[in-house]
Amino acid sequence: MNRGAASAALSLPPASGGRSEGDPPGRRRWAAIGDPLPLESGVRLPGVRLAYETWGRRAADGSNAVLVLHALTGDSHAAGPAGPGHPTPGWWDALVGPGRALDTDRWFVVAPNVLGGCQGSTGPSSPGPDRAPWGSRFPYLTVRDQVAAEAALADVLGIGRWAAVVGGSMGGMRALEWAVSRPERTGSLLVLAAPAAASAEQIAWGSVQIGAIRCDPGWRGGDYHGAPPGGGPHRGLGQARRIAHITYRSEPELGSRFGGEPQPGEVPGRGGRYRVESYLDHHARKLVRRFDAGSYVVLTEAMNGHDVGRARGGSARALRRARMPALVVGVDSDRLYPLSQQEELAALLPGADALRIVNSPYGHDGFLIETEQVGSLIQELLPPSSPPSPVSPVLCEELP
């Protein structure tokens, strides 16, 4: 290949932006999960492992452990800089560390990459039993399946009960499922920008994103992982990201930032873009280089199926199980998961009181951006107290 052709190939997006075997591990560790893992569908998933990161030191009795759960395109890297093995900085870096809301001088913070994800945990882009990528063979997952895998991780880490389970958006769905399905293991709960069940509109938004990916010829039925650069479903994944990002931000914010202005140097009537289009293109380009389309489909399907009341007599009855101290938080400008859903959730959770509101112009993404307000809520849930009990090393199986 000549230099020009090599340069062109490097500029093309990879077939999958997910982590590949042999990539730098970064801060990740891996835990092997019970084999095989029984799923809600009846399928038994073999060879499951979860990537995770930790901060702080675990108390001898595990009583200072806090579980932090990421959103759809997040991963285990909740804190720390970008670098080898970590394409982006920690998504809650301002909240995790010494002296921060999740003070790692006191708390042992654990953040796993969700089952079905693409940054080290078992998912469509990871090797299956035959060492080839799972691809189209990867099974349908539910939020309950993901929490079952996380509970197995807690067993590996020797944590019988979390001091708190904290999550936003998809992470909030999993946090809520922890509280309902394993209340004895959930010491306290913080749910941000997440509902008790996905609504028809939320399912609709997710479905059109899945459709955009599956309509891409590069999807190849889900078996694209061996395709050359540019040969995967990057166009469909990029379009899914554009759709999603509109729902993540508020109309007033987009209006104030971009209005109807053209991108500098471009003329929309002559093939150019508006500034807001350029903004969406930017986020699409970033995602296709760090995420896997198959994971995006699997995780979005799990979010669409989220319903804590399914086969439990409805949400109100199911949520009565969750009697631990709880904070339910909404973002006032969130149009994807509106405040009405969090108001209902706060009213139904026995351990919650009034809904807490994050004031932000940024829409749904406010739970990631407004770290000062979120930090205050974490400190309300986990107030400063005496130092934790003596620490002991975490014993677990680590895989390369």
Side-chain angles (χ1 to χ4, degrees), residues 176-184 186 189 196 308-309 312-326 344-352:
L176 193 60
E177 179 61 32
W178 262 98
V180 169
S181 64
R182 291 163 177 83
E184 75 286 354
T186 309
L189 175 69
V308 295
R312 292 170 174 161
S315 293
R317 183 175 180 183
L319 290 167
R320 287 202 293 268
R321 305 179 185 186
R323 297 187 175 277
M324 70 289 298
E344 179 184 17
L345 180 56
L348 292 174
L349 271 173

Side-chain angles (χ1 to χ4, degrees), residues 39-383:
L39 304 181
E40 197 178 354
S41 64
V43 171
R44 298 175 70 84
L45 184 62
V48 173
R49 64 178 189 168
L50 289 189
Y52 68 98
E53 296 178 46
T54 68
W55 299 263
R57 299 184 69 187
R58 191 191 69 179
D61 59 2
S63 62
N64 69 333
V66 175
L67 181 63
V68 174
L69 301 174
H70 67 77
L72 172 60
T73 60
D75 55 30
S76 64
H77 198 51
H86 299 297
T88 56
W91 48 271
W92 253 4
D93 188 63
L95 296 177
V96 180
R100 297 176 182 173
L102 287 168
D103 186 351
T104 51
D105 288 335
R106 179 187 178 203
W107 300 110
F108 177 61
V109 178
V110 180
N113 183 213
V114 68
L115 178 66
C118 63
Q119 287 296 331
S121 292
T122 297
S125 62
S126 66
D130 59 358
R131 305 306 299 166
W134 274 100
S136 63
R137 301 173 297 166
F138 195 79
Y140 173 82
L141 294 179
T142 67
V143 171
R144 297 180 192 182
D145 297 328
Q146 294 165 337
V147 170
E150 290 162 3
L153 171 63
D155 293 341
V156 172
L157 296 175
I159 298 167
R161 182 175 182 267
W162 300 102
V165 179
V166 177
S169 192
M170 184 184 77
M173 297 176 183
R174 286 148 56 210
L176 193 60
E177 179 61 32
W178 262 98
V180 169
S181 64
R182 291 163 177 83
E184 75 286 354
R185 303 190 70 172
T186 309
S188 60
L189 175 69
L190 179 59
V191 177
L192 298 109
S199 70
E201 183 178 41
Q202 288 149 6
I203 294 169
W205 281 119
S207 296
V208 296
Q209 293 169 51
I210 292 169
I213 293 171
R214 287 179 168 158
C215 284
D216 187 328
W219 173 244
R220 304 172 192 239
D223 295 314
Y224 55 85
H225 293 93
H234 63 93
R235 294 179 180 84
L237 178 57
Q239 191 68 354
R241 180 61 165 181
R242 292 180 183 91
I243 295 167
H245 205 76
I246 296 168
T247 71
Y248 296 159
R249 298 295 180 130
S250 72
E251 188 280 331
E253 188 226 354
L254 294 178
S256 65
R257 288 180 66 181
F258 306 113
E261 296 298 316
Q263 180 69 2
E266 299 185 26
V267 180
R270 299 177 185 174
R273 299 169 298 170
Y274 291 95
R275 289 181 62 206
V276 70
E277 290 180 281
S278 174
Y279 169 73
L280 296 175
D281 289 346
H282 168 71
H283 283 280
R285 283 193 301 271
K286 287 202 306 181
L287 187 74
V288 300
R289 294 184 180 277
R290 70 169 183 84
F291 212 77
D292 177 66
S295 280
Y296 198 101
V297 168
V298 165
L299 300 183
T300 302
E301 287 180 331
M303 294 174 70
N304 280 355
H306 168 62
D307 181 356
V308 295
R310 187 181 67 253
R312 292 170 174 161
S315 293
R317 183 175 180 183
L319 290 167
R320 287 202 293 268
R321 305 179 185 186
R323 297 187 175 277
M324 70 289 298
L327 291 181
V328 178
V329 184
V331 181
D332 61 356
S333 57
D334 191 344
R335 57 179 169 181
L336 178 58
Y337 295 107
L339 286 180
S340 58
Q341 289 186 312
Q342 283 89 57
E343 288 170 346
E344 179 184 17
L345 180 56
L348 292 174
L349 271 173
D353 51 17
L355 173 69
R356 303 301 197 276
I357 297 177
V358 169
N359 301 115
S360 175
Y362 299 113
H364 183 64
D365 274 354
F367 84 92
L368 293 169
I369 296 170
E370 306 289 356
T371 52
E372 185 174 346
Q373 293 182 62
V374 173
S376 295
L377 293 164
I378 292 173
Q379 290 176 323
E380 180 181 347
L381 187 72
L382 297 170

